[in-house]
Short mmCIF file of all heavy atoms in Angstrom, two decimals:
data_model
loop_
_atom_site.label_atom_id
_atom_site.label_comp_id
_atom_site.label_asym_id
_atom_site.label_seq_id
_atom_site.Cartn_x
_atom_site.Cartn_y
_atom_site.Cartn_z
N THR A 120 10.09 12.34 5.76
CA THR A 120 8.72 12.28 5.25
C THR A 120 8.49 11.02 4.44
O THR A 120 7.47 10.35 4.61
CB THR A 120 8.43 13.53 4.39
OG1 THR A 120 8.65 14.70 5.17
CG2 THR A 120 6.99 13.51 3.89
N ARG A 121 9.42 10.64 3.60
CA ARG A 121 9.18 9.52 2.70
C ARG A 121 9.25 8.17 3.39
O ARG A 121 8.96 7.15 2.77
CB ARG A 121 10.10 9.58 1.49
CG ARG A 121 11.51 9.13 1.72
CD ARG A 121 12.30 9.21 0.41
NE ARG A 121 11.59 8.55 -0.67
CZ ARG A 121 11.81 8.76 -1.97
NH1 ARG A 121 12.74 9.61 -2.35
NH2 ARG A 121 11.13 8.12 -2.90
N GLN A 122 9.61 8.12 4.66
CA GLN A 122 9.45 6.88 5.40
C GLN A 122 7.98 6.47 5.45
O GLN A 122 7.67 5.28 5.53
CB GLN A 122 9.95 7.04 6.84
CG GLN A 122 11.46 7.04 6.99
CD GLN A 122 11.87 7.06 8.44
OE1 GLN A 122 11.27 7.76 9.26
NE2 GLN A 122 12.90 6.31 8.78
N PHE A 123 7.09 7.47 5.38
CA PHE A 123 5.67 7.20 5.54
C PHE A 123 4.81 7.65 4.36
O PHE A 123 3.70 7.14 4.19
CB PHE A 123 5.16 7.88 6.83
CG PHE A 123 5.93 7.45 8.05
CD1 PHE A 123 6.88 8.28 8.61
CD2 PHE A 123 5.71 6.20 8.61
CE1 PHE A 123 7.60 7.87 9.73
CE2 PHE A 123 6.43 5.79 9.73
CZ PHE A 123 7.38 6.63 10.29
N VAL A 124 5.30 8.57 3.55
CA VAL A 124 4.56 9.01 2.36
C VAL A 124 5.57 9.23 1.23
O VAL A 124 6.53 9.99 1.40
CB VAL A 124 3.77 10.31 2.60
CG1 VAL A 124 3.04 10.73 1.31
CG2 VAL A 124 2.77 10.15 3.74
N SER A 125 5.35 8.60 0.09
CA SER A 125 6.24 8.79 -1.06
C SER A 125 6.01 10.16 -1.70
O SER A 125 4.87 10.64 -1.75
CB SER A 125 5.99 7.70 -2.11
OG SER A 125 6.37 6.44 -1.62
N PRO A 126 7.06 10.79 -2.20
CA PRO A 126 6.86 12.04 -2.95
C PRO A 126 5.91 11.82 -4.12
O PRO A 126 5.99 10.79 -4.79
CB PRO A 126 8.27 12.38 -3.43
CG PRO A 126 9.18 11.69 -2.48
CD PRO A 126 8.48 10.42 -2.10
N PRO A 127 5.01 12.76 -4.36
CA PRO A 127 4.06 12.58 -5.47
C PRO A 127 4.75 12.60 -6.81
O PRO A 127 5.56 13.50 -7.09
CB PRO A 127 3.11 13.77 -5.31
CG PRO A 127 3.86 14.77 -4.49
CD PRO A 127 4.78 14.01 -3.62
N SER A 128 4.47 11.60 -7.64
CA SER A 128 5.09 11.53 -8.96
C SER A 128 4.22 10.72 -9.90
O SER A 128 3.80 9.62 -9.58
CB SER A 128 6.48 10.87 -8.88
OG SER A 128 6.99 10.62 -10.18
N THR A 129 3.98 11.29 -11.09
CA THR A 129 3.31 10.56 -12.16
C THR A 129 4.28 10.19 -13.27
O THR A 129 3.86 9.76 -14.35
CB THR A 129 2.16 11.40 -12.76
OG1 THR A 129 2.70 12.64 -13.24
CG2 THR A 129 1.08 11.69 -11.73
N ASP A 130 5.58 10.33 -13.01
CA ASP A 130 6.61 9.96 -13.98
C ASP A 130 6.42 8.49 -14.37
O ASP A 130 6.44 7.61 -13.50
CB ASP A 130 7.98 10.16 -13.34
CG ASP A 130 9.14 9.85 -14.29
OD1 ASP A 130 8.92 9.20 -15.33
OD2 ASP A 130 10.27 10.23 -13.96
N PRO A 131 6.24 8.18 -15.65
CA PRO A 131 6.02 6.78 -16.05
C PRO A 131 7.14 5.84 -15.63
O PRO A 131 6.92 4.64 -15.49
CB PRO A 131 5.94 6.87 -17.58
CG PRO A 131 5.52 8.27 -17.87
CD PRO A 131 6.16 9.10 -16.80
N GLN A 132 8.35 6.36 -15.41
CA GLN A 132 9.48 5.52 -15.02
C GLN A 132 9.82 5.62 -13.53
O GLN A 132 10.74 4.94 -13.07
CB GLN A 132 10.70 5.89 -15.85
CG GLN A 132 10.55 5.52 -17.32
CD GLN A 132 10.24 4.03 -17.51
OE1 GLN A 132 10.89 3.17 -16.93
NE2 GLN A 132 9.25 3.73 -18.34
N ALA A 133 9.08 6.43 -12.77
CA ALA A 133 9.33 6.53 -11.33
C ALA A 133 8.08 7.04 -10.62
O ALA A 133 8.10 8.08 -9.97
CB ALA A 133 10.52 7.43 -11.05
#
Side-chain angles (χ1 to χ4, degrees):
T120 303
R121 78 179 310 161
Q122 284 186 320
F123 304 103
V124 179
S125 293
S128 171
T129 58
D130 182 345
Q132 292 304 312

